[in-house]
Amino acid sequence: MKHTTGPWKIERDSRGTRRIYAEKIEVARVLSSPKMVNLEVTANFKIIAAAPELLAALEAIILDAGKTRMSNLDADLPQDAALIAARAAIAKAKDLI
């Protein structure tokens, strides 16, 4: 499965509805309920719009960590938990789990 290539941007249409676009393709709409405050809706939009860059950053971190491990095979690197979490997030994003 492949996601729509970023960057994704938040735009408002003529009626003020916020949507997330990649080029001219609508990627997402975030729906809100009366219980959600506007700041929460805005935060949801921002995290969704940042998804392609966040995924690319995690993949780069994992790649770089792999290179570090190969040059330090006996090193006990303290970021193991973070790398495990990064791999899990990548797998979730790519529907591998």
Side-chain angles (χ1 to χ4, degrees):
M1 174 173 64
K2 178 135 174 56
H3 68 276
T4 304
T5 305
W8 294 357
K9 300 198 185 288
I10 300 169
E11 297 181 10
R12 285 184 187 257
D13 64 18
S14 59
R15 293 181 288 175
T17 303
R18 290 181 285 190
R19 300 163 193 242
I20 298 172
Y21 287 93
E23 297 292 322
K24 301 287 183 192
I25 300 168
E26 183 179 336
V27 176
R29 293 181 205 176
V30 176
L31 303 176
S32 62
S33 72
K35 294 181 182 180
M36 295 176 74
V37 296
N38 195 36
L39 292 175
E40 185 178 2
V41 174
T42 299
N44 290 342
F45 263 100
K46 288 180 178 182
I47 194 79
I48 293 168
E53 289 91 349
L54 292 169
L55 178 59
L58 283 176
E59 289 174 328
I61 289 167
I62 293 297
L63 181 63
D64 190 52
K67 290 176 186 174
T68 300
R69 282 194 186 276
M70 294 308 289
S71 63
N72 299 307
L73 289 177
D74 295 325
D76 184 21
L77 299 177
Q79 69 269 26
D80 283 341
L83 294 175
I84 290 167
R87 285 188 190 98
I90 291 168
K92 184 176 181 181
K94 292 188 168 190
D95 202 23
L96 302 175
I97 56 174

